[in-house]
């Protein structure tokens, strides 16, 4: 199966290209962004050597569906999807923070909690909780957006404001949007028999100064889900929660002595493991969206994307 590792398109009026861990973003005439979701796989802020078939399509289509399902409460950057792996939207000036919101003591929050810490990003976590317990109410734990693949860092609301990273007026909007999106995401997940555990949102400003949601939303790469059925029983007995997220990739890496730390070697991924991960992502798509996944043709995948984007740009 053909996969997308990298692209090298030259679109009309193209000004620049930003290469992220997973997405490649083309600036068209300082007006539009063409965001291509590759099949690269990242974990622990490291891009792994093997690509995962259909992963980019899956992330792009989940994000698109979730953008459409939340646009009535929070405006977003999206204009069109000319290809299964592509989103086109307004050029925005991104805020240099990621708005992480957590409904449960999981992942990074659980690791900090186990170390005895009760304050995360300036937010107090209640005593007496165990891993994967629900917080009394969701907490917002922002992080600074990493440049050049460095690790994102926790930051408090107070530090964001005092350092002038975001104005107080804008930050209040970001907080309100984050809470509204998490509430909607929780409702959507519940209809699928899932619990939205935690997620992150990114925002930007349009040229007109409007704050909009950008990047991906409620995907397995940016969010953690539990299966609702049996959640409480597993908590009561201390069992591991059944998850729907990229956590299975992280666990495989941990089992093979890799957590992105200096000196550690990325384990070799067999063909069987690549197909297994691809199938897990398809399962994630179908569970999160409630729809069957339809594989896009991959015989000439880069040609397909280029032709579809060019056709869209010519129509503008």
């Amino acid at each position: 199966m053909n996969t997308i590792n990298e692209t090298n398109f030259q679109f009309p009026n193209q000004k620049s290209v930003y290469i992220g861990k997973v997405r490649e973003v083309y600036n068209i005439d300082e007006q539009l962004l063409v965001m291509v979701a590759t099949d690269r796989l990242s974990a622990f802020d490291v891009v792994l050597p093997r690509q995962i078939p259909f992963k980019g399509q899956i992330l792009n289509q989940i994000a698109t569906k979730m953008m459409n399902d939340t646009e009535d409460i929070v405006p977003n950057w999206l204009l069109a999807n000319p290809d299964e792996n592509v989103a086109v939207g307004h050029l925005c000036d991104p805020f240099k923070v990621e708005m992480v919101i957590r409904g449960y003591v999981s992942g990074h929050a659980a690791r900090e909690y186990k170390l005895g810490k009760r304050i995360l990003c300036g937010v107090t976590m209640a005593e007496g909780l165990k891993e994967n317990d629900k917080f009394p109410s969701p907490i917002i734990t922002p992080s600074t957006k990493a440049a050049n693949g460095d690790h994102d860092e926790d930051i408090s609301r107070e530090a964001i404001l005092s350092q002038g990273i975001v104005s107080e007026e804008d930050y209040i909007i970001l907080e309100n949007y984050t809470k509204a999106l998490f509430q909607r995401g929780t409702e959507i997940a519940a209809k699928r028999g899932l619990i939205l555990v935690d997620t992150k949102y990114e925002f930007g400003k349009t040229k007109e100064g409007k704050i909009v949601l950008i990047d991906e939303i409620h995907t397995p790469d940016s969010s953690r889900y539990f299966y609702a059925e049996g959640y409480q029983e597993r908590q009561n007995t201390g069992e591991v929660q059944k998850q729907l997220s990229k956590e299975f990739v992280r666990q495989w890496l941990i089992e093979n002595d890799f957590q992105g730390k200096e000196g550690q070697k990325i384990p070799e991924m067999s063909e069987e493991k690549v197909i297994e991960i691809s199938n897990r992502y398809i399962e994630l798509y179908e569970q999160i969206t409630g729809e069957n996944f339809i594989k896009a043709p991959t015989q000439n995948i880069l040609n397909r994307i280029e032709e579809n984007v060019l056709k869209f740009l010519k129509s503008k």
Side-chain angles (χ1 to χ4, degrees):
M1 285 181 283
N2 293 325
T3 57
I4 309 171
N5 182 28
E6 59 184 4
T7 68
N8 188 27
F9 300 128
Q10 292 295 325
F11 296 122
N13 299 315
Q14 180 176 310
K15 299 299 181 185
S16 62
V17 184
Y18 168 77
I19 309 297
K21 295 187 188 80
V22 172
R23 289 170 175 78
E24 304 195 352
V25 186
Y26 292 81
N27 177 333
I28 308 299
D29 204 25
E30 300 294 343
Q31 298 294 324
L32 298 177
L33 291 182
V34 174
M35 183 182 289
V36 182
T38 73
D39 295 317
R40 295 194 293 265
L41 177 65
S42 74
F44 299 113
D45 287 328
V46 174
V47 176
L48 305 183
R50 297 293 301 270
Q51 294 80 55
I52 306 302
F54 304 107
K55 176 180 175 286
Q57 179 188 346
I58 287 166
L59 294 189
N60 186 57
Q61 291 187 327
I62 292 175
T64 295
K65 180 174 175 54
M66 293 297 179
M67 288 270 185
N68 292 336
D69 287 347
T70 57
E71 64 183 356
D72 60 315
I73 56 171
V74 176
N76 62 60
W77 78 292
L78 188 64
L79 286 172
N81 295 96
D83 183 272
E84 289 88 344
N85 283 70
V86 177
V88 179
H90 298 286
L91 174 69
C92 298
D93 183 20
F95 288 99
K96 292 180 171 58
V97 294
E98 292 184 348
M99 298 298 286
V100 181
I101 183 166
R102 306 176 185 277
Y104 293 74
V105 189
S106 300
H108 176 57
R111 289 188 285 271
E112 294 293 286
Y113 202 90
K114 283 179 181 176
L115 293 174
K117 299 178 183 178
R118 293 297 179 266
I119 296 179
L120 182 62
C121 300
V123 180
T124 300
M125 297 184 286
E127 290 287 350
L129 299 174
K130 62 179 185 291
E131 185 170 4
N132 299 330
D133 274 354
K134 187 175 183 179
F135 283 120
S137 59
I139 63 172
I140 295 177
T141 59
S143 67
T144 54
K145 281 181 62 62
N148 303 320
D150 296 330
H151 289 274
D152 296 348
E153 294 185 358
D154 291 343
I155 190 169
S156 68
R157 181 188 200 273
E158 292 70 27
I160 290 169
L161 298 182
S162 66
Q163 294 175 29
I165 299 172
V166 181
S167 72
E168 184 168 14
E169 179 184 6
D170 285 349
Y171 193 81
I172 289 170
I173 294 173
L174 300 189
E175 282 186 324
N176 290 337
Y177 278 173
T178 296
K179 291 173 184 176
L181 288 166
F182 190 69
Q183 179 59 37
R184 177 63 61 83
T186 298
E187 293 164 2
I188 293 171
K191 292 176 184 175
R192 308 271 179 255
L194 301 171
I195 295 169
L196 180 58
V197 177
D198 53 44
T199 190
K200 70 177 180 68
Y201 304 113
E202 297 187 44
F203 299 93
K205 266 190 181 179
T206 66
K207 288 181 178 294
E208 296 74 33
K210 183 180 181 181
I211 295 176
V212 297
L213 176 66
I214 61 173
D215 201 49
E216 63 184 334
I217 168 180
H218 298 159
T219 71
D221 272 20
S222 67
S223 313
R224 192 189 318 268
Y225 292 90
F226 291 156
Y227 284 87
E229 185 178 357
Y231 162 78
Q232 196 54 56
E233 290 83 350
R234 285 187 284 271
Q235 280 303 96
N236 294 342
T237 58
E239 290 181 63
V240 175
Q241 285 298 332
K242 190 178 178 186
Q243 289 201 30
L244 202 66
S245 70
K246 197 170 64 172
E247 188 65 27
F248 71 94
V249 174
R250 298 188 194 96
Q251 288 303 319
W252 176 76
L253 290 169
I254 290 170
E255 289 164 12
N256 286 274
D257 303 316
F258 183 79
Q259 295 185 60
K261 296 177 181 176
E262 192 173 343
Q264 292 183 334
K265 184 180 178 183
I266 300 173
E268 188 155 343
M269 193 178 287
S270 67
E271 200 64 35
E272 290 76 17
K273 177 59 69 173
V274 169
I275 299 304
E276 177 195 330
I277 294 173
S278 180
N279 289 335
R280 286 291 295 272
Y281 267 92
I282 291 171
E283 176 193 346
L284 293 170
Y285 174 93
E286 295 184 339
Q287 191 71 42
I288 291 169
T289 66
E291 300 172 357
N292 290 330
F293 179 67
I294 300 171
K295 296 177 180 179
T298 60
Q299 291 88 335
N300 296 293
I301 191 166
L302 292 176
N303 289 343
R304 185 202 82 203
I305 291 172
E306 185 173 32
E307 287 174 7
N308 286 334
V309 172
L310 286 172
K311 184 178 177 181
F312 171 79
L313 294 175
K314 286 176 183 176
S315 71
K316 296 302 288 179

